[in-house]
Amino acid sequence: MQFKKLFIPGPTQVHPDVLAKMATPMIGHRGKDASDLQRSISEKMRTLMYTTGKIILSTSSGTGLMEGAIRSATAKRAIVFSIGAFGKRWYELAKLNGVEADLHEETPGQPTLPETVDKYLLTGKYDTVTITHNETSVGIMNPAYAITDVIKKYPDVVYLVDCVSSLGGTKVEVDKLGFDICITSSQKALALPPGLSIASISPKAEARFEKVGNKGYYLDLKNLVKYVDKKDYQYSSTPSLSHMFALDFQLDRIFKEGLESRFDRHLEMAEFTIEWANKYFKQFAKPGFESMTVTCIDNTRNINVGDLNKELAKRNMQISNGYGDLKDKTFRIAHMGELTMDDMVEVTGAIVEILKLK
Ligand SMILES: *Cc1c(COP(=O)(O)O)cnc(C)c1O
């Protein structure tokens, strides 16, 4: 197998020291050591997420907690605001779980606008709203603060936010933003192997779980919170302890870099990549709403993305084609997790050379 430097929006590069932590010897998952490990992770996640809320872990990728969240938190009806493939996933999850939901989709490349959210919530039909903070399929970061200003007018609405590809790469102030359930995955900006997801839970979300009947078992968020509360930071079944060892260690590495430095590094990589995209192609995201962790590029030169990736592979690098319908029409370069400016200079330089761009 050829291991390439990954410029795809997940899984991302994992630091060798973090990978090594995945090989930590096992401990019993019902013992004090397991509680100490989960408590340590939770305290660090609270710092990273700027929240005093509860933290739950799930041995599933982020989609698992999205499924658990929409099912556990919707008593009446959910409104899903989608700006791409991952936004739409909330709606599919709702439908497949028998949760009443409506979908509002934007034209690809456009963000969710606060006034649109207001229009739906004004109807009083909804008790849950879902937003994608950073839509990986189109390289857009939604205007979270402006959307929050609208949602705050509706105190009975529970606010579910997909921060899978933003958390750890940009500041996500969960409490200030009023996110009731904020979800992330291990394999994006947190730069761990895939297979673990993490969410913050507000008191309002917890109160809502009480009002929802059939929540399943494995992804019942009330049950996951119960094991944290009543069993002193434990998990409802056997968790991926390997991921937990690695996450606990990676959070220390993240704090060692410093949160502001880490977010600045992502901002610098994003600005560089967007500028490069606009020099040779065109950015896909509406200007002003660019993602800090992944740039989606409009394939204005009609290049063959598959061939480009074959050439990049010879140089041990890999970028990402467009997602779903946007395949070949766009392509994506991620700049998150462990990547640095040097990496971005390397990958964009290689693309210029391969395609002989002028
Ligand atoms: C990757 C991604 C997901 C899906 O997460 P998994 O961990 O693959 O289940 C959801 N939303 C966004 C924005 C993503 O980037």
Side-chain angles (χ1 to χ4, degrees):
M1 208 181 292
Q2 183 203 1
F3 296 104
K4 292 165 289 222
K5 193 178 279 178
L6 298 177
F7 294 90
I8 60 174
T12 60
Q13 289 296 113
V14 182
H15 191 278
D17 294 349
V18 178
L19 270 183
K21 287 290 167 188
M22 293 289 289
T24 307
M26 280 305 114
I27 56 173
H29 71 294
R30 288 288 171 243
K32 182 175 177 299
D33 287 346
S35 286
D36 289 346
L37 178 61
Q38 193 168 328
R39 185 186 307 105
S40 168
I41 291 168
S42 303
E43 280 161 6
K44 292 170 192 172
M45 284 306 301
R46 273 191 270 274
T47 305
L48 179 62
M49 296 173 105
Y50 300 83
T51 182
T52 56
K54 289 176 185 168
I55 301 291
I56 54 169
L57 306 179
S58 174
T59 298
S60 70
S61 73
T63 305
L65 279 180
M66 287 167 70
E67 179 157 3
I70 197 144
R71 180 164 171 180
S72 305
T74 312
K76 199 162 72 179
R77 193 175 190 90
I79 175 68
V80 171
F81 293 98
S82 168
I83 60 166
F86 292 109
K88 203 168 172 189
R89 186 171 290 183
W90 282 111
Y91 182 68
E92 290 158 15
L93 293 168
K95 287 283 144 190
L96 292 168
N97 279 281
V99 172
E100 300 287 334
D102 291 317
L103 172 68
H104 178 90
E105 285 185 280
E106 292 298 336
T107 320
Q110 299 300 311
T112 299
L113 292 175
E115 49 270 35
T116 311
V117 176
D118 206 17
K119 204 182 80 193
Y120 280 88
L121 293 185
L122 258 173
T123 64
K125 274 165 71 179
Y126 306 102
D127 65 347
T128 312
V129 53
T130 80
I131 299 281
T132 312
H133 182 226
N134 188 70
E135 179 53 77
T136 317
S137 63
V138 290
I140 289 192
M141 193 107 92
N142 266 322
Y145 291 93
I147 294 171
T148 287
D149 285 344
V150 166
I151 292 181
K152 281 198 170 142
K153 297 196 303 184
Y154 304 92
D156 296 333
V157 170
V158 170
Y159 189 3
L160 314 182
V161 189
D162 170 353
C163 287
V164 169
S165 62
S166 53
L167 201 97
T170 193
K171 190 178 261 183
V172 179
E173 297 179 294
V174 166
D175 286 357
K176 206 169 180 181
L177 285 161
F179 293 172
D180 292 305
I181 303 181
C182 174
I183 299 166
T184 200
S185 300
S186 54
Q187 79 281 13
K188 307 261 169 119
L190 290 176
L192 292 148
L196 183 76
S197 52
I198 308 139
S200 66
I201 308 288
S202 77
K204 197 207 276 187
E206 268 196 86
R208 175 62 58 76
F209 301 156
E210 299 299 327
K211 298 206 169 99
V212 179
N214 186 354
K215 297 188 279 290
Y217 182 88
Y218 193 71
L219 298 168
D220 173 357
L221 267 45
K222 183 187 166 193
N223 196 38
L224 288 169
V225 170
K226 188 182 93 185
Y227 271 83
V228 169
D229 274 354
K230 306 233 159 69
K231 311 267 180 186
D232 189 24
Y233 287 95
Q234 294 232 331
Y235 190 68
S236 60
S237 53
T238 320
S240 175
L241 292 159
S242 310
H243 276 97
M244 290 165 65
F245 285 121
L247 174 59
D248 192 46
F249 177 76
Q250 174 68 338
L251 288 166
D252 287 339
R253 285 187 72 248
I254 289 172
F255 296 134
K256 203 162 161 195
E257 177 179 13
L259 291 184
E260 296 298 334
S261 314
R262 187 177 179 87
F263 302 149
D264 286 348
R265 173 166 59 82
H266 281 81
L267 174 66
E268 196 186 353
M269 292 192 292
E271 285 177 344
F272 173 84
T273 312
I274 292 156
E275 199 184 313
W276 179 87
N278 286 321
K279 181 168 173 198
Y280 295 107
F281 297 88
K282 198 169 162 289
Q283 70 181 73
F284 189 71
K286 180 175 176 166
F289 299 93
E290 299 88 351
S291 162
M292 291 299 111
T293 55
V294 58
T295 295
C296 184
I297 300 159
D298 193 348
N299 187 4
T300 49
R301 293 172 181 255
N302 207 12
I303 62 158
N304 185 315
V305 180
D307 287 349
L308 171 61
N309 244 337
K310 276 185 202 136
E311 288 303 315
L312 284 169
K314 292 181 190 161
R315 301 168 194 229
N316 292 313
M317 289 183 270
Q318 183 181 348
I319 61 164
S320 198
N321 206 325
Y323 195 102
D325 293 345
L326 293 170
K327 185 163 182 260
D328 298 316
K329 293 186 188 131
T330 64
F331 59 100
R332 294 169 299 157
I333 303 177
H335 27 82
M336 63 172 105
E338 299 294 334
L339 294 172
T340 64
M341 272 301 287
D342 286 350
D343 296 319
M344 303 323 296
V345 170
E346 187 189 5
V347 71
T348 52
I351 297 173
V352 167
E353 240 178 72
I354 292 164
L355 300 173
K356 301 188 174 63
L357 298 177
K358 281 196 206 66

